[in-house]
Amino acid sequence: MKDLMLLNGNVYTMDPHLPKAEAVAKKDSKIIAVGKNSEIENLGRKNFKVMNLEGKTVIPGLVDCHAHFLSFAYSLKRVNLEGISSFGQVLSVIKSFSTKLKPDEWLVGGGWDKNILGDESIFTKEILDKVWPNGPALLQSKDHHLLWVNSKTLKAAGIEKTTQNPPGGRIEKDQLTREPTGILKENACSLVWEKVPRPSAADSKELLKESLKIANSYGLTAIHDLEDQEALILFQKLLENGDLSLRVCFWVPDQNLDSAIDLGITSGFGNENLRIGGVKLFSDGTLGSQTALMFEPYEGAKDNFGIEVTSQEELAQMVEKASRAGISVAIHSIGDKGVHQALNAIEGPLQQNIGENRLRHRIEHAQLLRPQDVERFGKLNVIASVQPVHAPSDKQIAEKYWGKRCRLAYAYKTLIKSGARITFGSDAPIETLDPLRGIHAAVCRQRVGEKESWYPEEKVSVAEAIFAYTQGASYASYEENLKGSIQVGKLADMVILSQDIFQINPEEIPDTKVECTILGGRMVFES
Ligand SMILES: [Zn+2]
């Protein structure tokens, strides 16, 4: 790998001591100089491959702090119902997809959104039996918290009239006949997922390689992945073969907390290519499925306060156990009460001085806050790990179910002002993996093409958004001294952009092209 010299650039370093530079040089995987053209040229051109940037913008490599990357890879090969606004269209897309399947094969996909398609009651097993009678079918809702399945799937999972709801889950049943309707919620979904045949390791690896290329083309150099052992095994295989073109910080699922502790794994274990972040826990469900845990009921449904996926007591015990073992937690919490209980669970061990203060706990999503909980993030040093595309994309449904409470929904600026650390991610495949779309959503609080901002007081600056995708994310993986800014001694992870996103009209951010992605000094994407 030849050493590289970038000259005539418009470099935003994200290093407060030298925020802007013209040139950067790297040796092997690290940055060795940042500064003016003349300073960098003094290193001697002949030892370097010289790239003239002609004024193009350079920023540190972007890090997606919340992705389900293997699911994203699988989604490339599954039926995609996203954005479809009529139920008839949903059925015909499934039907035409099914012509590619072998008889008896599982039909798998998702992306349907009951909030745009109509009431949940239209998603019945009978309708799905008509479209795919040959084999089992399961279709995940856009937010991944509901499953719509057919009769063959229910049979394969052994779900019938008398089957009890699993803890933290619900099997929807007909009020008269008690027959399962074909809708499963929250933890009930895993009864079915366990039965779905997984693609072979070879197929999964190919899909992952395709996904890595997509990620690099978006300017991503690292992700935080929240998945299970299958993903971790595949990442190790890719790394072994030199094919892992993203740095991965991996979060262990809640059911593996005890095994992680038994093995002696602690947060930060690994290296800059593949590292363990901690354990992912769940406090509640989602807004899309109205299962996020609420202090006050959902608007228009006075009995629905959401689902407590893990009880307050159990959540506190899990955080305490993890903290004692040197493991940070990332707690999925969406409703105001879900977030409140997650903060309580984190506060307990801190008050008793359990766990080293090196732990970097986080709350995933934090979509709705009670005013009195905002300051607790900063005080307890809890990272708010949020996904900005959710804000404009959820706004209609948030207003429908949370009404006036939306003032503190997706409240990124309020969190930053209160002293909270904040990181950005995508939640792919639920939303696009493209971080420029995330930056746009955080800065504009509107969908691409829309003119009106949703709660504009919660807009963040471009610098704050990039900070969340770089330095903020690197802090969350214990790597703030290793990456996240263009600084001497740090890894040479950089992105070259077609335009200066700090200067253009923010509405044009999604039109920006990634021209080149550099990972550890190596080009992993060139347009
Ligand atoms: Zn997620």
Side-chain angles (χ1 to χ4, degrees):
M1 182 164 59
K2 196 151 186 210
D3 293 327
L4 185 67
M5 186 181 274
L6 305 176
L7 296 176
N8 302 315
N10 171 33
V11 184
Y12 290 93
T13 64
M14 302 312 286
D15 167 12
H17 304 291
L18 180 70
K20 288 294 295 283
E22 294 169 337
V24 184
K26 73 95 190 168
K27 188 172 166 32
D28 304 322
S29 63
K30 297 270 179 83
I31 293 165
I32 54 162
V34 184
K36 296 205 171 72
N37 284 325
S38 53
E39 292 165 347
I40 306 305
E41 279 188 289
N42 278 344
L43 298 171
R45 279 174 166 255
K46 67 175 191 320
N47 302 320
F48 294 88
K49 177 185 166 198
V50 177
M51 242 176 113
N52 182 354
L53 295 176
E54 295 166 335
K56 281 189 186 124
T57 296
V58 184
I59 58 172
L62 298 169
V63 182
D64 184 327
C65 243
H66 187 120
H68 310 282
F69 202 70
L70 184 58
S71 298
F72 173 80
Y74 288 161
S75 75
L76 302 177
K77 280 276 181 296
R78 289 175 172 173
V79 59
N80 182 7
L81 306 171
E82 232 189 289
I84 302 180
S85 56
S86 92
F87 192 60
Q89 181 77 19
V90 163
L91 298 177
S92 74
V93 170
I94 301 171
K95 183 93 206 161
S96 81
F97 178 85
S98 72
T99 58
K100 292 184 273 184
L101 300 177
K102 299 182 209 95
D104 296 349
E105 203 174 335
W106 283 72
L107 186 153
V108 183
W112 57 273
D113 187 348
K114 72 179 171 106
N115 300 296
I116 54 175
L117 290 167
D119 197 72
E120 195 178 295
S121 61
I122 58 178
F123 299 89
T124 62
K125 63 179 181 199
E126 288 82 10
I127 280 199
L128 204 48
D129 287 342
K130 276 191 200 139
V131 205
W132 185 237
N134 301 347
L138 90 162
L139 297 153
Q140 205 168 25
S141 60
K142 179 176 157 59
D143 64 6
H144 289 199
H145 288 246
L146 301 180
L147 272 184
W148 173 30
V149 302
N150 68 0
S151 301
K152 286 220 161 132
T153 300
L154 289 170
K155 189 153 182 245
I159 298 172
E160 43 190 54
K161 266 186 186 183
T162 52
T163 312
Q164 300 282 322
N165 287 332
R170 200 180 294 158
I171 301 163
E172 287 300 323
K173 292 187 182 150
D174 185 277
Q175 288 191 342
L176 293 175
T177 64
R178 304 308 296 154
E179 279 289 334
T181 63
I183 285 286
L184 307 172
K185 294 186 173 175
E186 301 301 333
N187 286 348
C189 300
S190 27
L191 302 174
V192 166
W193 274 120
E194 286 162 7
K195 305 292 171 192
V196 181
R198 300 261 188 157
S200 70
D203 287 348
S204 302
K205 239 198 314 195
E206 284 316 304
L207 286 171
L208 272 178
K209 281 196 209 168
E210 206 179 320
S211 308
L212 288 166
K213 281 199 190 123
I214 297 172
N216 294 146
S217 77
Y218 288 150
L220 290 170
T221 52
I223 54 164
H224 287 230
D225 191 67
L226 305 100
E227 286 184 308
D228 64 10
Q229 58 173 165
E230 190 188 5
L232 183 57
I233 291 170
L234 286 162
F235 287 135
Q236 291 174 73
K237 290 232 166 80
L238 289 167
L239 180 60
E240 206 176 290
N241 300 334
D243 289 326
L244 190 63
S245 62
L246 275 181
R247 307 184 190 282
V248 178
C249 178
F250 187 83
W251 288 78
V252 175
D254 49 0
Q255 69 268 25
N256 297 129
L257 172 59
D258 288 335
S259 351
I261 294 172
D262 288 347
L263 260 177
I265 290 175
T266 60
S267 284
F269 170 71
N271 60 28
E272 69 268 28
N273 298 311
L274 185 53
R275 193 184 291 285
I276 297 294
V279 173
K280 161 107 182 266
L281 307 176
F282 281 86
S283 164
D284 63 355
T286 67
L287 165 62
S289 305
Q290 292 89 60
T291 50
L293 192 62
M294 305 297 300
F295 277 109
E296 300 296 328
Y298 288 86
E299 303 283 323
K302 62 178 184 351
D303 297 328
N304 188 12
F305 291 81
I307 292 182
E308 189 180 55
V309 170
T310 311
S311 74
Q312 174 73 87
E313 204 190 348
E314 202 185 335
L315 194 61
Q317 280 168 0
M318 289 173 102
V319 177
E320 186 177 325
K321 190 154 63 160
S323 299
R324 281 188 197 282
I327 298 177
S328 302
V329 297
I331 310 177
H332 166 114
S333 325
I334 289 184
D336 52 5
K337 193 170 181 189
V339 174
H340 177 79
Q341 298 199 158
L343 287 165
N344 292 348
I346 292 171
E347 189 171 30
L350 285 178
Q351 279 174 341
Q352 303 171 59
N353 280 323
I354 295 169
E356 310 134 77
N357 50 17
R358 67 182 274 276
L359 291 177
R360 293 177 183 180
H361 297 311
R362 29 195 268 194
I363 289 185
E364 305 304 306
H365 313 305
Q367 284 172 13
L368 189 67
L369 306 172
R370 271 202 322 180
Q372 52 270 56
D373 282 327
V374 172
E375 285 202 342
R376 298 175 75 197
F377 281 83
K379 269 201 201 117
L380 302 172
N381 197 25
V382 174
I383 301 165
S385 168
V386 299
Q387 302 75 40
V389 173
H390 283 320
S393 136
D394 288 0
K395 78 176 172 193
Q396 264 116 3
I397 136 169
E399 290 198 327
K400 177 172 172 196
Y401 290 111
W402 290 345
K404 286 205 296 290
R405 286 171 278 184
C406 286
R407 174 60 195 87
L408 283 181
Y410 314 85
Y412 311 147
K413 189 72 177 192
T414 298
L415 279 165
I416 293 173
K417 278 202 224 145
S418 77
R421 290 181 185 274
I422 184 162
T423 67
F424 283 168
S426 65
D427 212 2
I430 294 177
E431 296 289 358
T432 170
L433 192 63
D434 183 351
L436 286 165
R437 296 279 295 275
I439 294 168
H440 167 264
V443 173
C444 297
R445 303 273 301 184
Q446 64 200 28
R447 289 184 215 176
V448 178
E450 275 178 350
K451 284 284 158 231
E452 219 165 299
S453 304
W454 189 52
Y455 289 98
E457 53 274 54
E458 294 298 341
K459 285 180 178 179
V460 307
S461 68
V462 173
E464 284 167 334
I466 294 185
F467 188 90
Y469 271 115
T470 55
Q471 290 274 57
S474 302
Y475 176 85
S477 59
Y478 303 85
E479 294 174 306
E480 69 275 21
N481 295 320
L482 196 61
K483 62 189 179 70
S485 59
I486 300 175
Q487 220 173 326
V488 173
K490 285 200 174 178
L491 290 164
D493 294 355
M494 294 177 278
V495 188
I496 303 172
L497 301 173
S498 63
Q499 50 183 357
D500 184 346
I501 57 174
F502 286 80
Q503 298 299 331
I504 57 170
N505 173 353
E507 288 180 9
E508 287 162 21
I509 291 172
D511 305 330
T512 310
K513 300 269 170 295
V514 169
E515 304 231 323
C516 186
T517 304
I518 301 169
L519 174 81
R522 188 164 60 93
M523 304 269 180
V524 288
F525 170 75
E526 264 180 290
S527 72

